[in-house]
Amino acid sequence: MRISPFYLFSIVFLLIQDVSTLPLNYLQKSAILAEVPRPITSYEDAERPFFALLGKLSPFQLAKVLSHDKNNRWFSSVFRDDNSEQVITEGVKSKVESSNTEFEMWLGEQKDRAFERILENIGGSRCHDKSVAPGAVLASPSKIRPNYFYQWVRDAAITVNSLVEYLDDHLFEDPVMYNLQATIEAYIINSYKLQRLANPSGGFKTLAGLGEPKFMPDSTPFNGPWGRPQRDGPGLRVITIANYIDLLDKYQKNFTTPELLSQGSQFVFDKIIKPDLSYIIKYWSSTGFDLWEEVDSIHLFTSLTQLKALKIGLNLADRFGDSELHKKLVIAFNSLRFFISVDSGFKPSRIPYLIETPSLVIQGRRSGLDIASVLASLRAHDIDDSEDTVYIPFPITDAAVMNTLIALMDDMKYRYPINHELLGISSGYALGRYPEDIYDGYGISEGNPWFISTATASELIYKLVYNLYKLRKGLEIQPEQSQLFAYISSLPTSAKTIHIPYNSQAFKSVTASLIDYADTFLAIIRKHVDAEGHMSEQFNKYSGYLEGAEDLTWSYGSFWSSLRWRSKALELMSS
């Protein structure tokens, strides 16, 4: 077939027009990987014309550009174009009241209670209900009003990852009373079984069944109507199991469960991790229900955790010699990374915060604000892995993540009456899921604060402080964040970016105020747990009393994780 010169000219002209007119509608402008990721060390390394052009290319055009890019470099939103800044080194004081000894004692006691109650909700561990399969993680022991007596793939992966983190924090000293290694390995074996169960989402042969969100506690299918599929589970499961394999290598340990000890890590990779990775490769561009199980669409939490799993998969495929899978993972990673940064609408240029479900904003049904966006950043980035900041969009250092939390606080401090007594005080607030929420824990009326959301706020802030001290990095405060910092310290509000150099008097004062401010979210939690430290799903926005599913595993996990990062941040600050 011959193409006329006029027709060829028309195609070229349209492509040029397409590139020149597309809006730059996202904060992070990035080059896409052609091989294994390699970070750049400074913003000056970037060729600015090329850097700007990438943001205007369609995936097809990008592929052509990458074929001529010999360096295949990767850019992150931590590098900013804005050079206007105000430097402050001293004269800053905190406005937040520091925690007292009684509060510190409560934190330690509640952290232990939270961890023990996590284990009580895992079959074969310290679970009181013998009908729960070994390794199955109950969302809650609540069987009526509401019935959460199921195992969710998402909740289970996040929960078990806390057990992995506990082992790492304690140098793999596994207390006899906890027996964490057996519990984690029971979860891995249970995951193998769940993957292969035919269920309403599909079967194992087509991989569709891996999108099934929940199962019965005895590890049989749940056949009732539900919001399915939910596509975040496989990625989160990859993250957790891969973290455990890495932990075994780090401490030169072996599996202890006979089924896994005889098979080894190769078996876990081939039979459990690889199917989940293959599911993401196949379905990352398909809609599914969000982590709140309400909306069938594309979601930031799902996409970002899937991308993290694919990044892990690249390293595992290389380690276990699966070159064919590695090739597929590269393509999927590139495509999903480009989608998140460019085409998704997760970070429009005119909105300072992240959008969890863009389709709802387009339809005019929601503002897009959702604590799930902050959860996505926390779950998709290993703060001790510097590569995650470079390769995966929206790390905690991205201004849009903190802006999301700030916007949620600005809404919910008025929305929930129990917050009104805190207005005008340098304190955090009780936070819910999203402003338009109408789920009250039992039915549909009006939304309440959640323990998960409130603890997540504190975890984000602790991680920010930890990150600054670990990297010995000064604090950058964007104009849209200056009001918050003026609220918790004597810093002024500013139309410029405020730079506070590392280890200056101002730096020490502001980071101390951040720790104290994060503590206020935990102080709110303290007010709303019962006398024995029990946490439900929610607490009433008028009375503050516990509501929703009792002893929600994820509530305890969120609180425990927040305390974990508080300890790590304080340790660095005092060293």
Side-chain angles (χ1 to χ4, degrees), residues 29 31 38-52 54 69-76 78-81 390:
K29 296 158 280 188
R38 292 189 297 275
I40 60 173
T41 56
S42 70
Y43 184 73
E44 287 68 33
D45 289 343
E47 298 173 11
R48 289 175 183 268
F50 177 70
F51 183 76
L54 284 174
D69 175 31
K70 305 253 189 263
N71 295 317
N72 297 318
R73 288 171 301 187
W74 188 262
F75 305 105
S76 170
V78 295
F79 307 123
R80 299 179 61 86
D81 291 314
V390 181

Side-chain angles (χ1 to χ4, degrees), residues 484-528:
L484 170 66
F485 281 86
Y487 178 64
I488 66 174
S489 72
S490 60
L491 281 172
T493 58
S494 175
K496 292 184 176 182
T497 298
I498 297 175
H499 174 67
I500 303 178
Y502 174 75
N503 218 29
S504 64
Q505 180 276 326
F507 180 86
K508 294 177 182 177
S509 180
V510 171
T511 52
S513 69
L514 281 171
I515 293 292
D516 290 338
Y517 185 62
D519 284 353
T520 64
F521 291 96
L522 301 183
I524 289 169
I525 289 176
R526 184 187 184 189
K527 287 175 61 177
H528 299 291

Side-chain angles (χ1 to χ4, degrees), residues 337-355:
R337 179 59 176 84
F338 188 93
F339 171 77
I340 292 171
S341 298
V342 183
D343 292 336
S344 64
F346 292 144
K347 180 58 190 75
S349 60
R350 296 179 183 178
I351 299 178
Y353 56 79
L354 298 173
I355 304 296

